[in-house]
Amino acid sequence: IIYEDEEPVDALIKWGKEAARKHHPIVREPIYNEIFDELCNKTDKLKCTRSRAWESLKMGTMTYYGVPFDIEFFNPDVDPVSRNQCYSTDDKYSNHCVENAADKFCRR
């Protein structure tokens, strides 16, 4: 399942890790590349802007009116290309990517 505003490469790596935990390690490079090619190059409805998954950081859960929401952040610092998108902000503890992730979460 690829959710709205989710990058297909991140959904693919989540699926692969879950499958590897339950069955066997299927996220080998040739299979991964073949599936990624199918998702991004042979499907009209998906927008692929990256070819490398970001590291998912679980940051706990927030409850709003009794409904729990997982707080998850994808760390772009693991991708040398995407790292440049995360320029510093006025807050020395944050960057543009962290602020965008918080904004997306709060708009839910």
Short mmCIF file of all heavy atoms in Angstrom, two decimals, residues 5-37:
data_model
loop_
_atom_site.label_atom_id
_atom_site.label_comp_id
_atom_site.label_asym_id
_atom_site.label_seq_id
_atom_site.Cartn_x
_atom_site.Cartn_y
_atom_site.Cartn_z
N ASP A 5 1.04 11.17 -0.29
CA ASP A 5 2.25 11.88 0.14
C ASP A 5 3.38 10.94 0.57
O ASP A 5 4.34 11.37 1.18
CB ASP A 5 1.96 12.85 1.29
CG ASP A 5 1.14 14.04 0.84
OD1 ASP A 5 1.23 14.41 -0.34
OD2 ASP A 5 0.41 14.60 1.68
N GLU A 6 3.26 9.66 0.26
CA GLU A 6 4.34 8.72 0.58
C GLU A 6 5.12 8.41 -0.69
O GLU A 6 4.54 8.19 -1.75
CB GLU A 6 3.77 7.42 1.16
CG GLU A 6 4.83 6.43 1.59
CD GLU A 6 4.25 5.18 2.22
OE1 GLU A 6 3.13 4.79 1.88
OE2 GLU A 6 4.94 4.60 3.06
N GLU A 7 6.39 8.42 -0.58
CA GLU A 7 7.24 8.13 -1.74
C GLU A 7 7.21 6.61 -1.99
O GLU A 7 7.36 5.82 -1.05
CB GLU A 7 8.66 8.60 -1.43
CG GLU A 7 9.57 8.62 -2.60
CD GLU A 7 9.24 9.67 -3.64
OE1 GLU A 7 8.77 10.75 -3.27
OE2 GLU A 7 9.48 9.40 -4.82
N PRO A 8 7.02 6.17 -3.24
CA PRO A 8 6.95 4.73 -3.52
C PRO A 8 8.16 3.94 -3.04
O PRO A 8 8.00 2.81 -2.56
CB PRO A 8 6.83 4.69 -5.05
CG PRO A 8 6.14 5.96 -5.39
CD PRO A 8 6.69 6.97 -4.42
N VAL A 9 9.35 4.51 -3.10
CA VAL A 9 10.54 3.79 -2.66
C VAL A 9 10.48 3.51 -1.16
O VAL A 9 10.92 2.45 -0.70
CB VAL A 9 11.83 4.54 -3.06
CG1 VAL A 9 12.00 5.82 -2.28
CG2 VAL A 9 13.05 3.65 -2.91
N ASP A 10 9.90 4.41 -0.37
CA ASP A 10 9.76 4.19 1.07
C ASP A 10 8.74 3.09 1.36
O ASP A 10 8.95 2.25 2.24
CB ASP A 10 9.35 5.48 1.77
CG ASP A 10 10.42 6.55 1.69
OD1 ASP A 10 11.62 6.20 1.67
OD2 ASP A 10 10.07 7.75 1.65
N ALA A 11 7.64 3.07 0.62
CA ALA A 11 6.63 2.01 0.78
C ALA A 11 7.21 0.66 0.39
O ALA A 11 6.96 -0.35 1.05
CB ALA A 11 5.39 2.33 -0.05
N LEU A 12 8.00 0.64 -0.66
CA LEU A 12 8.60 -0.61 -1.12
C LEU A 12 9.56 -1.18 -0.08
O LEU A 12 9.53 -2.38 0.20
CB LEU A 12 9.33 -0.38 -2.45
CG LEU A 12 10.10 -1.57 -3.03
CD1 LEU A 12 9.17 -2.74 -3.30
CD2 LEU A 12 10.83 -1.15 -4.29
N ILE A 13 10.38 -0.34 0.52
CA ILE A 13 11.34 -0.84 1.51
C ILE A 13 10.62 -1.30 2.78
O ILE A 13 11.01 -2.28 3.39
CB ILE A 13 12.45 0.19 1.80
CG1 ILE A 13 13.71 -0.51 2.34
CG2 ILE A 13 12.03 1.25 2.76
CD1 ILE A 13 14.45 -1.30 1.33
N LYS A 14 9.53 -0.60 3.17
CA LYS A 14 8.74 -1.06 4.33
C LYS A 14 8.17 -2.44 4.07
O LYS A 14 8.22 -3.32 4.92
CB LYS A 14 7.58 -0.09 4.59
CG LYS A 14 7.90 1.09 5.42
CD LYS A 14 6.60 1.80 5.74
CE LYS A 14 6.76 3.24 6.01
NZ LYS A 14 5.50 3.94 6.19
N TRP A 15 7.59 -2.61 2.87
CA TRP A 15 7.01 -3.90 2.50
C TRP A 15 8.07 -4.99 2.51
O TRP A 15 7.86 -6.08 3.04
CB TRP A 15 6.35 -3.79 1.12
CG TRP A 15 5.95 -5.10 0.56
CD1 TRP A 15 4.84 -5.81 0.85
CD2 TRP A 15 6.69 -5.88 -0.38
NE1 TRP A 15 4.82 -6.99 0.14
CE2 TRP A 15 5.96 -7.06 -0.63
CE3 TRP A 15 7.91 -5.69 -1.06
CZ2 TRP A 15 6.39 -8.04 -1.50
CZ3 TRP A 15 8.33 -6.68 -1.92
CH2 TRP A 15 7.58 -7.83 -2.14
N GLY A 16 9.23 -4.70 1.93
CA GLY A 16 10.31 -5.67 1.87
C GLY A 16 10.81 -6.08 3.24
O GLY A 16 11.06 -7.26 3.51
N LYS A 17 10.95 -5.12 4.14
CA LYS A 17 11.41 -5.43 5.50
C LYS A 17 10.39 -6.27 6.25
O LYS A 17 10.74 -7.19 6.98
CB LYS A 17 11.72 -4.15 6.27
CG LYS A 17 13.02 -3.51 5.85
CD LYS A 17 13.31 -2.27 6.68
CE LYS A 17 14.64 -1.68 6.30
NZ LYS A 17 14.98 -0.55 7.17
N GLU A 18 9.11 -5.94 6.10
CA GLU A 18 8.05 -6.71 6.76
C GLU A 18 8.00 -8.13 6.22
O GLU A 18 7.88 -9.09 6.98
CB GLU A 18 6.69 -6.01 6.54
CG GLU A 18 5.56 -6.64 7.30
CD GLU A 18 5.69 -6.54 8.81
OE1 GLU A 18 6.33 -5.59 9.30
OE2 GLU A 18 5.17 -7.44 9.51
N ALA A 19 8.12 -8.28 4.91
CA ALA A 19 8.12 -9.61 4.30
C ALA A 19 9.34 -10.42 4.73
O ALA A 19 9.25 -11.62 4.99
CB ALA A 19 8.06 -9.49 2.78
N ALA A 20 10.48 -9.76 4.84
CA ALA A 20 11.71 -10.45 5.26
C ALA A 20 11.61 -10.93 6.70
O ALA A 20 12.13 -11.99 7.04
CB ALA A 20 12.91 -9.52 5.09
N ARG A 21 10.92 -10.16 7.53
CA ARG A 21 10.75 -10.55 8.93
C ARG A 21 9.86 -11.78 9.04
O ARG A 21 10.10 -12.66 9.86
CB ARG A 21 10.16 -9.39 9.71
CG ARG A 21 10.23 -9.59 11.19
CD ARG A 21 9.84 -8.39 11.99
NE ARG A 21 9.61 -7.19 11.22
CZ ARG A 21 8.80 -6.22 11.57
NH1 ARG A 21 8.13 -6.31 12.69
NH2 ARG A 21 8.64 -5.16 10.83
N LYS A 22 8.83 -11.86 8.22
CA LYS A 22 7.87 -12.97 8.31
C LYS A 22 8.29 -14.20 7.52
O LYS A 22 7.94 -15.31 7.87
CB LYS A 22 6.50 -12.50 7.80
CG LYS A 22 5.84 -11.51 8.70
CD LYS A 22 4.48 -11.13 8.17
CE LYS A 22 3.78 -10.15 9.11
NZ LYS A 22 2.50 -9.72 8.58
N HIS A 23 9.02 -14.00 6.42
CA HIS A 23 9.32 -15.12 5.53
C HIS A 23 10.83 -15.29 5.35
O HIS A 23 11.47 -16.01 6.07
CB HIS A 23 8.64 -14.92 4.18
CG HIS A 23 7.16 -14.73 4.30
ND1 HIS A 23 6.31 -15.75 4.66
CD2 HIS A 23 6.38 -13.65 4.14
CE1 HIS A 23 5.06 -15.30 4.71
NE2 HIS A 23 5.08 -14.02 4.39
N HIS A 24 11.37 -14.65 4.38
CA HIS A 24 12.81 -14.73 4.10
C HIS A 24 13.26 -13.40 3.48
O HIS A 24 12.42 -12.62 3.02
CB HIS A 24 13.13 -15.90 3.17
CG HIS A 24 12.43 -15.82 1.86
ND1 HIS A 24 12.88 -15.07 0.81
CD2 HIS A 24 11.26 -16.37 1.43
CE1 HIS A 24 12.05 -15.17 -0.21
NE2 HIS A 24 11.06 -15.95 0.14
N PRO A 25 14.55 -13.14 3.48
CA PRO A 25 15.01 -11.85 2.95
C PRO A 25 14.79 -11.74 1.43
O PRO A 25 15.54 -12.29 0.64
CB PRO A 25 16.50 -11.81 3.29
CG PRO A 25 16.86 -13.20 3.64
CD PRO A 25 15.62 -13.94 4.01
N ILE A 26 13.73 -11.05 1.04
CA ILE A 26 13.43 -10.93 -0.39
C ILE A 26 13.89 -9.60 -0.96
O ILE A 26 13.77 -9.37 -2.14
CB ILE A 26 11.92 -11.10 -0.66
CG1 ILE A 26 11.13 -10.02 0.05
CG2 ILE A 26 11.46 -12.48 -0.32
CD1 ILE A 26 9.69 -9.96 -0.35
N VAL A 27 14.41 -8.73 -0.11
CA VAL A 27 14.85 -7.43 -0.61
C VAL A 27 16.32 -7.54 -1.05
O VAL A 27 17.20 -6.96 -0.47
CB VAL A 27 14.67 -6.32 0.43
CG1 VAL A 27 15.02 -4.96 -0.16
CG2 VAL A 27 13.26 -6.29 0.94
N ARG A 28 16.53 -8.37 -2.03
CA ARG A 28 17.85 -8.44 -2.66
C ARG A 28 17.85 -7.45 -3.81
O ARG A 28 16.82 -7.19 -4.41
CB ARG A 28 18.12 -9.86 -3.12
CG ARG A 28 18.23 -10.81 -1.94
CD ARG A 28 18.74 -12.15 -2.39
NE ARG A 28 18.90 -13.02 -1.25
CZ ARG A 28 18.01 -13.96 -0.90
NH1 ARG A 28 16.93 -14.15 -1.62
NH2 ARG A 28 18.21 -14.70 0.15
N GLU A 29 18.98 -6.93 -4.12
CA GLU A 29 19.07 -5.81 -5.07
C GLU A 29 18.39 -6.06 -6.42
O GLU A 29 17.62 -5.23 -6.86
CB GLU A 29 20.52 -5.40 -5.26
CG GLU A 29 20.63 -4.07 -5.96
CD GLU A 29 22.03 -3.52 -5.92
OE1 GLU A 29 22.81 -3.90 -5.03
OE2 GLU A 29 22.35 -2.72 -6.79
N PRO A 30 18.59 -7.20 -7.11
CA PRO A 30 17.94 -7.38 -8.40
C PRO A 30 16.41 -7.38 -8.31
O PRO A 30 15.74 -6.75 -9.14
CB PRO A 30 18.46 -8.73 -8.89
CG PRO A 30 19.71 -8.98 -8.14
CD PRO A 30 19.53 -8.29 -6.81
N ILE A 31 15.86 -8.06 -7.32
CA ILE A 31 14.41 -8.10 -7.16
C ILE A 31 13.89 -6.71 -6.79
O ILE A 31 12.89 -6.25 -7.33
CB ILE A 31 14.01 -9.14 -6.09
CG1 ILE A 31 14.38 -10.54 -6.56
CG2 ILE A 31 12.52 -9.05 -5.77
CD1 ILE A 31 14.22 -11.61 -5.51
N TYR A 32 14.58 -6.05 -5.88
CA TYR A 32 14.19 -4.71 -5.45
C TYR A 32 14.16 -3.76 -6.64
O TYR A 32 13.21 -3.02 -6.84
CB TYR A 32 15.16 -4.22 -4.38
CG TYR A 32 14.98 -2.78 -3.99
CD1 TYR A 32 14.02 -2.42 -3.06
CD2 TYR A 32 15.76 -1.79 -4.57
CE1 TYR A 32 13.85 -1.10 -2.70
CE2 TYR A 32 15.60 -0.46 -4.21
CZ TYR A 32 14.64 -0.13 -3.28
OH TYR A 32 14.46 1.17 -2.94
N ASN A 33 15.21 -3.77 -7.46
CA ASN A 33 15.29 -2.88 -8.61
C ASN A 33 14.19 -3.18 -9.63
O ASN A 33 13.64 -2.27 -10.24
CB ASN A 33 16.67 -2.96 -9.27
CG ASN A 33 17.74 -2.31 -8.43
OD1 ASN A 33 17.46 -1.45 -7.60
ND2 ASN A 33 18.98 -2.72 -8.62
N GLU A 34 13.88 -4.45 -9.81
CA GLU A 34 12.83 -4.83 -10.76
C GLU A 34 11.46 -4.33 -10.29
O GLU A 34 10.69 -3.77 -11.07
CB GLU A 34 12.81 -6.35 -10.91
CG GLU A 34 11.86 -6.85 -11.95
CD GLU A 34 11.94 -8.36 -12.11
OE1 GLU A 34 13.06 -8.91 -12.09
OE2 GLU A 34 10.88 -8.98 -12.23
N ILE A 35 11.16 -4.50 -9.01
CA ILE A 35 9.88 -4.03 -8.47
C ILE A 35 9.82 -2.51 -8.51
O ILE A 35 8.80 -1.92 -8.88
CB ILE A 35 9.66 -4.55 -7.02
CG1 ILE A 35 9.54 -6.07 -7.02
CG2 ILE A 35 8.42 -3.93 -6.41
CD1 ILE A 35 9.56 -6.69 -5.65
N PHE A 36 10.92 -1.86 -8.15
CA PHE A 36 10.96 -0.40 -8.18
C PHE A 36 10.73 0.12 -9.60
O PHE A 36 10.01 1.09 -9.82
CB PHE A 36 12.29 0.11 -7.62
CG PHE A 36 12.38 1.60 -7.57
CD1 PHE A 36 11.66 2.31 -6.63
CD2 PHE A 36 13.16 2.30 -8.47
CE1 PHE A 36 11.72 3.69 -6.57
CE2 PHE A 36 13.23 3.68 -8.43
CZ PHE A 36 12.50 4.38 -7.48
N ASP A 37 11.33 -0.54 -10.58
CA ASP A 37 11.15 -0.15 -11.98
C ASP A 37 9.67 -0.28 -12.38
O ASP A 37 9.13 0.59 -13.06
CB ASP A 37 12.02 -1.02 -12.88
CG ASP A 37 11.91 -0.63 -14.34
OD1 ASP A 37 12.13 0.56 -14.64
OD2 ASP A 37 11.58 -1.50 -15.16
#
